Amino acid sequence: VFDENNNRIATIPTGETAINLTTDVQLTLITGKKYKIVFWAANANAPYTLDETGKVTVNYEGMKTNDESLDAFCRCYEYTAGAEVENPVKLYRPFAQLNVGTKDMDKAVKAGFNKDAAKTKVVVSGIANTLNLLTGEVDGEAEVTCNLNAIPTGETFPKEGYEYLSMDYLLVGKETKSVVDVKWTVTDGTFNSERTFTNVPLQGNYRTNIFGNLLTSPTDFNVEIDPAFNEPDY
């Protein structure tokens, strides 16, 4: 909890666990005073560090693709004590979700592609590594390598008829839009395909979908931002 001059005056208890994507937070505040209440919700094992100034730092070293535990949510809620509280206080992703999906998985499997052994890798440059939760501003120009990891299972690709090949969370900030080049790799140990998708748009709290017949016709693909992802999940 910060005062209106961004001085930290209290700490919300850490370690609160969200049940059905909600949790209760109780604070003792002085009636009539203005506060900035910073919320940060993330997996305890995710490589994110929140310091006392409200800055989050992301450690990309050793990060793997297709890791759902990297998703996180935040909000800076400005509140005058004693006024009606927004209920619930909805949190938003400061990350863009970058998804790659294919429509020709069955055709590729019949041609010898080993889906069970398939792994993907994603490399993106120009990604922020710090986030100021008070202002929403991000900083940094990191080259992020999301190393080889098994393709997502049990997840439904945002475009009907396509199957997931990769899913990654990239810090760009809620109000920030970026255009990046994506180096993307898929392998099953025998079959290997490397591609570069250029001018890919990213925006915090949105998902960008790259989809097509990527295993049999890698030149056949589309890129789009999905605005439906903008709806808050907390």
Side-chain angles (χ1 to χ4, degrees):
V1 180
F2 297 79
D3 65 19
E4 57 184 326
N5 296 316
N6 295 343
N7 298 308
R8 188 176 68 87
I9 58 172
T11 300
I12 297 174
T14 59
E16 295 289 337
T17 301
I19 306 299
N20 295 326
L21 299 182
T22 66
T23 190
D24 292 327
V25 175
Q26 296 185 0
L27 300 170
T28 301
L29 304 173
I30 299 174
T31 300
K33 289 198 67 174
K34 294 181 179 180
Y35 297 92
K36 295 178 181 179
I37 306 172
V38 169
F39 296 96
W40 171 252
N43 187 296
N45 296 318
Y48 308 137
T49 302
L50 173 62
D51 69 19
E52 293 186 354
T53 69
K55 184 177 76 172
V56 174
T57 301
V58 181
N59 179 10
Y60 291 112
E61 185 177 355
M63 187 173 287
K64 291 186 176 182
T65 194
N66 310 326
D67 187 351
E68 182 65 43
S69 71
L70 297 176
D71 200 4
F73 303 82
C74 64
R75 174 84 177 270
C76 179
Y77 178 53
E78 298 190 19
Y79 174 65
T80 301
E84 184 176 355
V85 178
E86 179 182 323
N87 191 16
V89 176
K90 296 182 179 181
L91 310 187
Y92 299 84
R93 291 176 174 89
F95 300 95
Q97 187 189 70
L98 177 64
N99 302 308
V100 179
T102 195
K103 198 173 185 178
D104 57 358
M105 181 67 78
D106 291 342
K107 186 186 295 185
V109 169
K110 289 179 181 179
F113 180 72
N114 186 347
K115 179 180 178 180
D116 294 334
K119 296 182 179 182
T120 49
K121 174 183 175 180
V122 170
V123 179
V124 186
S125 296
I127 300 300
N129 57 10
T130 64
L131 166 67
N132 185 323
L133 293 175
L134 283 163
T135 65
E137 295 177 349
V138 295
D139 193 24
E141 291 282 332
E143 178 174 274
V144 177
T145 298
C146 300
N147 285 306
L148 285 170
N149 202 13
I151 62 176
T153 58
E155 299 283 344
T156 301
F157 194 76
K159 300 294 292 185
E160 186 176 356
Y162 293 84
E163 292 189 50
Y164 258 115
L165 291 174
S166 66
M167 174 182 61
D168 297 281
Y169 292 96
L170 302 170
L171 181 62
V172 294
K174 184 176 182 293
E175 302 299 330
T176 305
K177 297 180 181 179
S178 301
V179 177
V180 300
D181 293 341
V182 178
K183 298 177 182 178
W184 182 82
T185 303
V186 59
T187 181
D188 67 355
T190 301
F191 168 84
N192 295 277
S193 178
E194 296 183 358
R195 287 198 47 76
T196 297
F197 303 108
T198 60
N199 299 320
V200 175
L202 298 177
Q203 184 173 354
N205 208 47
Y206 283 72
R207 55 175 176 258
T208 297
N209 303 317
I210 302 173
F211 55 98
N213 293 304
L214 298 181
L215 297 176
T216 60
S217 297
T219 58
D220 175 18
F221 67 91
N222 301 280
V223 180
E224 70 168 21
I225 279 190
D226 183 357
F229 197 54
N230 193 37
E231 290 302 313
D233 282 58
Y234 269 43

